[in-house]
Amino acid sequence: MADLQEASVVLPSVPGSVSAARKFVARVLAEWGLPEGAETVDTVRLIVSELATNVVQHTSGRSPVFTVAVQLDRGERMRVGVTDSHPRWP
């Protein structure tokens, strides 16, 4: 396993992208060896779902896309981020 694994996807800020974001992280984590249904996978999917939903609901069209990024450092530390381009900080 590599010291650092990274993956990201850019999605449109529309309701259907929340499901796409969940599927993306589940697929990436499976590729990295974390099986579907593992507690970590379920937790990451829930976090990404909540953050993606926030982007879709609260950017009021001022962020046409958002990015979902996942990093796994030495198979021990995972970082998950959802960012948008809304001009104002939350």
mmCIF file with all atom_site columns, all heavy atoms in Angstrom, residues 58-70:
data_model
loop_
_atom_site.group_PDB
_atom_site.id
_atom_site.type_symbol
_atom_site.label_atom_id
_atom_site.label_alt_id
_atom_site.label_comp_id
_atom_site.label_asym_id
_atom_site.label_entity_id
_atom_site.label_seq_id
_atom_site.pdbx_PDB_ins_code
_atom_site.Cartn_x
_atom_site.Cartn_y
_atom_site.Cartn_z
_atom_site.occupancy
_atom_site.B_iso_or_equiv
_atom_site.pdbx_formal_charge
_atom_site.auth_seq_id
_atom_site.auth_comp_id
_atom_site.auth_asym_id
_atom_site.auth_atom_id
_atom_site.pdbx_PDB_model_num
ATOM 1  N N   . HIS A 1 58 ? -27.489 24.865 0.893   1.00 0.00 ? 58 HIS A N   1
ATOM 2  C CA  . HIS A 1 58 ? -27.161 26.169 1.475   1.00 0.00 ? 58 HIS A CA  1
ATOM 3  C C   . HIS A 1 58 ? -26.304 27.092 0.626   1.00 0.00 ? 58 HIS A C   1
ATOM 4  O O   . HIS A 1 58 ? -26.022 28.212 1.056   1.00 0.00 ? 58 HIS A O   1
ATOM 5  C CB  . HIS A 1 58 ? -26.494 25.965 2.833   1.00 0.00 ? 58 HIS A CB  1
ATOM 6  C CG  . HIS A 1 58 ? -27.381 25.271 3.820   1.00 0.00 ? 58 HIS A CG  1
ATOM 7  N ND1 . HIS A 1 58 ? -28.531 25.844 4.316   1.00 0.00 ? 58 HIS A ND1 1
ATOM 8  C CD2 . HIS A 1 58 ? -27.305 24.028 4.356   1.00 0.00 ? 58 HIS A CD2 1
ATOM 9  C CE1 . HIS A 1 58 ? -29.117 24.985 5.135   1.00 0.00 ? 58 HIS A CE1 1
ATOM 10 N NE2 . HIS A 1 58 ? -28.398 23.888 5.176   1.00 0.00 ? 58 HIS A NE2 1
ATOM 11 N N   . THR A 1 59 ? -25.898 26.665 -0.557  1.00 0.00 ? 59 THR A N   1
ATOM 12 C CA  . THR A 1 59 ? -25.115 27.596 -1.381  1.00 0.00 ? 59 THR A CA  1
ATOM 13 C C   . THR A 1 59 ? -25.998 28.429 -2.292  1.00 0.00 ? 59 THR A C   1
ATOM 14 O O   . THR A 1 59 ? -25.512 29.333 -2.957  1.00 0.00 ? 59 THR A O   1
ATOM 15 C CB  . THR A 1 59 ? -24.051 26.859 -2.225  1.00 0.00 ? 59 THR A CB  1
ATOM 16 O OG1 . THR A 1 59 ? -24.703 25.935 -3.099  1.00 0.00 ? 59 THR A OG1 1
ATOM 17 C CG2 . THR A 1 59 ? -23.022 26.168 -1.353  1.00 0.00 ? 59 THR A CG2 1
ATOM 18 N N   . SER A 1 60 ? -27.280 28.136 -2.310  1.00 0.00 ? 60 SER A N   1
ATOM 19 C CA  . SER A 1 60 ? -28.262 28.934 -3.061  1.00 0.00 ? 60 SER A CA  1
ATOM 20 C C   . SER A 1 60 ? -27.834 29.188 -4.502  1.00 0.00 ? 60 SER A C   1
ATOM 21 O O   . SER A 1 60 ? -27.962 30.290 -5.012  1.00 0.00 ? 60 SER A O   1
ATOM 22 C CB  . SER A 1 60 ? -28.504 30.272 -2.355  1.00 0.00 ? 60 SER A CB  1
ATOM 23 O OG  . SER A 1 60 ? -28.929 30.058 -1.039  1.00 0.00 ? 60 SER A OG  1
ATOM 24 N N   . GLY A 1 61 ? -27.280 28.188 -5.141  1.00 0.00 ? 61 GLY A N   1
ATOM 25 C CA  . GLY A 1 61 ? -26.866 28.326 -6.525  1.00 0.00 ? 61 GLY A CA  1
ATOM 26 C C   . GLY A 1 61 ? -25.590 29.102 -6.739  1.00 0.00 ? 61 GLY A C   1
ATOM 27 O O   . GLY A 1 61 ? -25.160 29.294 -7.867  1.00 0.00 ? 61 GLY A O   1
ATOM 28 N N   . ARG A 1 62 ? -24.953 29.550 -5.669  1.00 0.00 ? 62 ARG A N   1
ATOM 29 C CA  . ARG A 1 62 ? -23.731 30.357 -5.805  1.00 0.00 ? 62 ARG A CA  1
ATOM 30 C C   . ARG A 1 62 ? -22.477 29.495 -5.890  1.00 0.00 ? 62 ARG A C   1
ATOM 31 O O   . ARG A 1 62 ? -21.374 30.010 -5.979  1.00 0.00 ? 62 ARG A O   1
ATOM 32 C CB  . ARG A 1 62 ? -23.631 31.352 -4.655  1.00 0.00 ? 62 ARG A CB  1
ATOM 33 C CG  . ARG A 1 62 ? -24.799 32.363 -4.757  1.00 0.00 ? 62 ARG A CG  1
ATOM 34 C CD  . ARG A 1 62 ? -24.661 33.515 -3.875  1.00 0.00 ? 62 ARG A CD  1
ATOM 35 N NE  . ARG A 1 62 ? -23.543 34.367 -4.315  1.00 0.00 ? 62 ARG A NE  1
ATOM 36 C CZ  . ARG A 1 62 ? -23.075 35.353 -3.579  1.00 0.00 ? 62 ARG A CZ  1
ATOM 37 N NH1 . ARG A 1 62 ? -23.602 35.614 -2.405  1.00 0.00 ? 62 ARG A NH1 1
ATOM 38 N NH2 . ARG A 1 62 ? -22.090 36.085 -4.013  1.00 0.00 ? 62 ARG A NH2 1
ATOM 39 N N   . SER A 1 63 ? -22.658 28.182 -5.844  1.00 0.00 ? 63 SER A N   1
ATOM 40 C CA  . SER A 1 63 ? -21.559 27.256 -6.071  1.00 0.00 ? 63 SER A CA  1
ATOM 41 C C   . SER A 1 63 ? -22.071 26.190 -7.032  1.00 0.00 ? 63 SER A C   1
ATOM 42 O O   . SER A 1 63 ? -22.769 25.267 -6.624  1.00 0.00 ? 63 SER A O   1
ATOM 43 C CB  . SER A 1 63 ? -21.105 26.604 -4.754  1.00 0.00 ? 63 SER A CB  1
ATOM 44 O OG  . SER A 1 63 ? -20.060 25.683 -4.998  1.00 0.00 ? 63 SER A OG  1
ATOM 45 N N   . PRO A 1 64 ? -21.758 26.315 -8.313  1.00 0.00 ? 64 PRO A N   1
ATOM 46 C CA  . PRO A 1 64 ? -22.314 25.376 -9.289  1.00 0.00 ? 64 PRO A CA  1
ATOM 47 C C   . PRO A 1 64 ? -21.803 23.941 -9.139  1.00 0.00 ? 64 PRO A C   1
ATOM 48 O O   . PRO A 1 64 ? -22.455 23.013 -9.583  1.00 0.00 ? 64 PRO A O   1
ATOM 49 C CB  . PRO A 1 64 ? -21.912 25.973 -10.636 1.00 0.00 ? 64 PRO A CB  1
ATOM 50 C CG  . PRO A 1 64 ? -20.756 26.862 -10.338 1.00 0.00 ? 64 PRO A CG  1
ATOM 51 C CD  . PRO A 1 64 ? -20.929 27.336 -8.925  1.00 0.00 ? 64 PRO A CD  1
ATOM 52 N N   . VAL A 1 65 ? -20.648 23.792 -8.501  1.00 0.00 ? 65 VAL A N   1
ATOM 53 C CA  . VAL A 1 65 ? -20.072 22.458 -8.294  1.00 0.00 ? 65 VAL A CA  1
ATOM 54 C C   . VAL A 1 65 ? -19.495 22.368 -6.887  1.00 0.00 ? 65 VAL A C   1
ATOM 55 O O   . VAL A 1 65 ? -19.276 23.385 -6.225  1.00 0.00 ? 65 VAL A O   1
ATOM 56 C CB  . VAL A 1 65 ? -18.963 22.133 -9.327  1.00 0.00 ? 65 VAL A CB  1
ATOM 57 C CG1 . VAL A 1 65 ? -19.512 22.103 -10.738 1.00 0.00 ? 65 VAL A CG1 1
ATOM 58 C CG2 . VAL A 1 65 ? -17.806 23.115 -9.220  1.00 0.00 ? 65 VAL A CG2 1
ATOM 59 N N   . PHE A 1 66 ? -19.258 21.122 -6.459  1.00 0.00 ? 66 PHE A N   1
ATOM 60 C CA  . PHE A 1 66 ? -18.521 20.895 -5.219  1.00 0.00 ? 66 PHE A CA  1
ATOM 61 C C   . PHE A 1 66 ? -17.577 19.724 -5.424  1.00 0.00 ? 66 PHE A C   1
ATOM 62 O O   . PHE A 1 66 ? -17.742 18.930 -6.345  1.00 0.00 ? 66 PHE A O   1
ATOM 63 C CB  . PHE A 1 66 ? -19.458 20.674 -4.028  1.00 0.00 ? 66 PHE A CB  1
ATOM 64 C CG  . PHE A 1 66 ? -20.299 19.428 -4.090  1.00 0.00 ? 66 PHE A CG  1
ATOM 65 C CD1 . PHE A 1 66 ? -19.892 18.256 -3.452  1.00 0.00 ? 66 PHE A CD1 1
ATOM 66 C CD2 . PHE A 1 66 ? -21.509 19.423 -4.753  1.00 0.00 ? 66 PHE A CD2 1
ATOM 67 C CE1 . PHE A 1 66 ? -20.670 17.116 -3.486  1.00 0.00 ? 66 PHE A CE1 1
ATOM 68 C CE2 . PHE A 1 66 ? -22.304 18.294 -4.788  1.00 0.00 ? 66 PHE A CE2 1
ATOM 69 C CZ  . PHE A 1 66 ? -21.885 17.132 -4.158  1.00 0.00 ? 66 PHE A CZ  1
ATOM 70 N N   . THR A 1 67 ? -16.567 19.654 -4.568  1.00 0.00 ? 67 THR A N   1
ATOM 71 C CA  . THR A 1 67 ? -15.547 18.617 -4.671  1.00 0.00 ? 67 THR A CA  1
ATOM 72 C C   . THR A 1 67 ? -15.571 17.737 -3.437  1.00 0.00 ? 67 THR A C   1
ATOM 73 O O   . THR A 1 67 ? -15.648 18.242 -2.318  1.00 0.00 ? 67 THR A O   1
ATOM 74 C CB  . THR A 1 67 ? -14.141 19.250 -4.801  1.00 0.00 ? 67 THR A CB  1
ATOM 75 O OG1 . THR A 1 67 ? -14.131 20.107 -5.948  1.00 0.00 ? 67 THR A OG1 1
ATOM 76 C CG2 . THR A 1 67 ? -13.070 18.189 -4.949  1.00 0.00 ? 67 THR A CG2 1
ATOM 77 N N   . VAL A 1 68 ? -15.493 16.436 -3.667  1.00 0.00 ? 68 VAL A N   1
ATOM 78 C CA  . VAL A 1 68 ? -15.354 15.457 -2.591  1.00 0.00 ? 68 VAL A CA  1
ATOM 79 C C   . VAL A 1 68 ? -13.950 14.881 -2.709  1.00 0.00 ? 68 VAL A C   1
ATOM 80 O O   . VAL A 1 68 ? -13.550 14.418 -3.780  1.00 0.00 ? 68 VAL A O   1
ATOM 81 C CB  . VAL A 1 68 ? -16.392 14.321 -2.716  1.00 0.00 ? 68 VAL A CB  1
ATOM 82 C CG1 . VAL A 1 68 ? -16.190 13.292 -1.614  1.00 0.00 ? 68 VAL A CG1 1
ATOM 83 C CG2 . VAL A 1 68 ? -17.800 14.871 -2.700  1.00 0.00 ? 68 VAL A CG2 1
ATOM 84 N N   . ALA A 1 69 ? -13.188 14.946 -1.622  1.00 0.00 ? 69 ALA A N   1
ATOM 85 C CA  . ALA A 1 69 ? -11.817 14.439 -1.628  1.00 0.00 ? 69 ALA A CA  1
ATOM 86 C C   . ALA A 1 69 ? -11.612 13.485 -0.446  1.00 0.00 ? 69 ALA A C   1
ATOM 87 O O   . ALA A 1 69 ? -12.118 13.737 0.651   1.00 0.00 ? 69 ALA A O   1
ATOM 88 C CB  . ALA A 1 69 ? -10.823 15.590 -1.534  1.00 0.00 ? 69 ALA A CB  1
ATOM 89 N N   . VAL A 1 70 ? -10.872 12.405 -0.722  1.00 0.00 ? 70 VAL A N   1
ATOM 90 C CA  . VAL A 1 70 ? -10.564 11.412 0.307   1.00 0.00 ? 70 VAL A CA  1
ATOM 91 C C   . VAL A 1 70 ? -9.072  11.130 0.250   1.00 0.00 ? 70 VAL A C   1
ATOM 92 O O   . VAL A 1 70 ? -8.509  10.958 -0.834  1.00 0.00 ? 70 VAL A O   1
ATOM 93 C CB  . VAL A 1 70 ? -11.344 10.095 0.068   1.00 0.00 ? 70 VAL A CB  1
ATOM 94 C CG1 . VAL A 1 70 ? -11.121 9.125  1.209   1.00 0.00 ? 70 VAL A CG1 1
ATOM 95 C CG2 . VAL A 1 70 ? -12.811 10.347 -0.135  1.00 0.00 ? 70 VAL A CG2 1
#
